[in-house]
Amino acid sequence: MTATTTTTTTTQTVSPSSKVLRVPPADPATAAAHFHRRFTFEADVADVHADVESGAGGFVLVDSRSAEAWEQGHVPGAVHLPTDEILARAAELVVPGSVVVTYCWGPGCNGATRAAYAFASAGYAVKEMLGGFEYWSREGFPVEDSAGTRQSPPDPLTAPVAAGAACGC
């Protein structure tokens, strides 16, 4: 049995037993606006890595974790500025007017979101790096600590493992 649900611009037939479709998807124009809006707030680790490697830059990458976390490993070239210090120290470490990309531990942590909020409150244009340090390292990108720079092979659950392969997304 199917039920018909009408939205403002489209009619969709959905199964009343579907947990995914119990709330019908937005019409395509609304969906396009929503997903575009997300891109204005977020960047993924692969895109950040590509820009860092190519020198495209145009942003300052900020690690918002504690000193102990930073020492355990961080993205090479990132600026270390713990979230609780952003309002007091941002202008000293990040040129006002810079675009900032924040990261913290990973998707189970909202520290990068709190840091992005702090930077935005201080007047900076800001994006959050989705996946954080966890996915940066799981995708096999370089990690730096007091011993130098190291790189692990990519986790096959997060990135292609073949040399030179890209996810293509």
Side-chain angles (χ1 to χ4, degrees):
M1 175 169 222
T2 60
T4 301
T5 303
T6 304
T7 62
T8 55
T9 60
T10 185
T11 300
Q12 301 156 355
T13 302
V14 298
S15 168
S17 62
S18 171
K19 295 198 182 296
V20 171
L21 299 176
R22 65 181 146 204
V23 174
D27 67 86
T30 301
H34 166 78
F35 293 115
H36 179 268
R37 187 171 176 266
R38 285 188 61 187
F39 288 132
T40 67
F41 297 107
E42 304 166 346
D44 70 21
V45 296
D47 290 343
V48 172
H49 177 259
D51 279 5
V52 168
E53 287 296 305
S54 73
F59 59 87
V60 177
L61 185 60
V62 174
D63 184 319
S64 64
R65 300 173 303 148
S66 68
E68 296 81 11
W70 170 265
E71 290 167 10
Q72 186 174 319
H74 54 271
V75 175
V79 171
H80 182 231
L81 184 55
T83 301
D84 289 344
E85 299 175 21
I86 291 171
L87 291 177
R89 298 185 58 216
E92 138 193 359
L93 297 174
V94 180
V95 175
S98 298
V99 174
V100 174
V101 176
T102 62
Y103 75 88
C104 198
W105 275 112
C109 169
N110 69 0
T113 305
R114 284 192 309 272
Y117 176 75
F119 272 106
S121 297
Y124 289 83
V126 64
K127 289 188 174 200
E128 176 183 357
M129 184 175 81
L130 295 179
F133 182 70
E134 176 188 349
Y135 276 74
W136 180 276
S137 59
R138 287 181 73 187
E139 290 195 22
F141 300 140
V143 172
E144 185 175 63
D145 61 20
S146 61
T149 302
R150 65 184 186 281
Q151 197 164 349
S152 300
D155 178 337
L157 296 176
T158 64
V161 295
C167 78
C169 61

